[in-house]
């Protein structure tokens, strides 16, 4: 009897993973991750996972209405070698905006989880198997945990504040990333204006000072940001035709075309 030809099993396609961070805290990295994730989902129709990777101070879960944001903590209690893709998938929650979310423990004392470097490395390595696009909220600076997962990220988005100290700190961050093997080709910059004031550097001056192209400028929208947190809905969902939504669309398009 003739045997039917065997079909080779499909090879899983790795998703694209973007690490989002800043040289200092307070620049809205979590908001960047959330709104950018929703925008990428809208533009591509592909599965998007956003993951909060700074325990004890991450607020993605709270901003999206998750009162008990302990998803990743259940994984961090496991031995790193036993964490499977199925385990990670079980801790990911679907959000009404269309994205999926891996939350982090939020109490200040939960910062101790940042020492679980091997567990975070295992999670980061497997996340691109679970979605076409993965965005990591890495918070600020380069703690050991962040350094340990740099190699798993395809690109990095760095938020920069248009002030002399912000420029200085970001320049140092870029230098440190280069020393750790992350070249300029894997980095995008986004200028984040948090306040409505003229007492800031303009984007061209910032770009010249750091020696790197700025992809997009996010202008202040405090009323929209406040309302978004109040109703647990990202800004780009709440007002999809706003200037803020247009800016995130431009940023997403810049990242996707890479």
């Amino acid at each position: 009897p003739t045997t039917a030809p065997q079909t080779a099993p499909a090879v899983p396609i790795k998703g694209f993973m973007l690490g989002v961070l800043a040289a200092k805290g307070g620049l809205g990295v979590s908001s960047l991750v959330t709104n950018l994730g929703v925008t990428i989902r809208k533009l591509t129709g592909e599965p998007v996972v956003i993951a909060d990777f700074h325990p004890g101070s991450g607020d993605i879960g709270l901003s999206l209405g998750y009162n008990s944001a302990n998803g990743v903590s259940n994984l961090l209690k496991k031995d790193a070698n036993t964490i499977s893709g199925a385990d990670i998938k079980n801790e990911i929650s679907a959000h009404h905006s269309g994205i999926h979310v891996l939350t982090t423990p939020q109490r200040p004392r939960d910062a101790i989880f940042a020492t679980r470097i091997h567990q975070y490395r295992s999670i980061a390595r497997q996340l691109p198997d679970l979605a076409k696009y993965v965005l990591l909220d890495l918070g600020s600076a380069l703690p050991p945990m962040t350094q340990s997962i740099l190699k798993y990220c395809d690109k990095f988005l760095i938020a920069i504040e248009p002030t002399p100290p912000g420029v200085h700190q970001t320049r140092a961050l870029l230098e440190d990333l280069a020393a750790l093997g992350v070249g300029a080709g894997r980095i995008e910059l986004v200028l984040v204006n948090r306040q409505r004031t003229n007492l800031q550097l303009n984007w061209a001056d910032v770009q010249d000072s750091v020696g790197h192209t700025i992809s997009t400028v996010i202008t202040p929208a405090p009323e929209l940001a406040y309302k978004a947190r109040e109703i647990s809905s990202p800004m780009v969902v709440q007002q999809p035709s706003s200037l803020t939504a247009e800016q995130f669309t431009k940023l997403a398009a810049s990242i996707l075309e890479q």
Side-chain angles (χ1 to χ4, degrees), residues 96-118:
H96 66 78
S97 62
I99 59 174
H100 288 76
V101 187
L102 180 61
T103 57
T104 194
Q106 301 160 342
R107 297 189 66 85
R109 68 189 181 201
D110 292 328
I112 188 67
F113 283 115
T115 61
R116 308 286 174 88
I117 292 174
H118 297 295

Side-chain angles (χ1 to χ4, degrees), residues 75-76 78-85 87-88 118-120 122-123 125-126:
L75 300 171
L76 298 176
K78 290 176 169 283
D79 181 280
N81 295 322
T82 68
I83 298 174
S84 67
D87 292 331
I88 299 170
H118 297 295
Q119 286 85 348
Y120 271 110
S122 177
I123 296 166
R125 178 175 54 82
Q126 297 181 77

Side-chain angles (χ1 to χ4, degrees), residues 135-159:
L135 284 72
L136 302 182
D137 180 351
L138 299 176
S140 60
L142 291 171
M145 184 270 289
T146 297
Q147 294 187 40
S148 75
I149 63 173
L150 294 178
K151 65 181 179 181
Y152 300 119
C153 294
D154 297 288
K155 292 202 68 159
F156 295 89
L157 177 66
I158 297 176

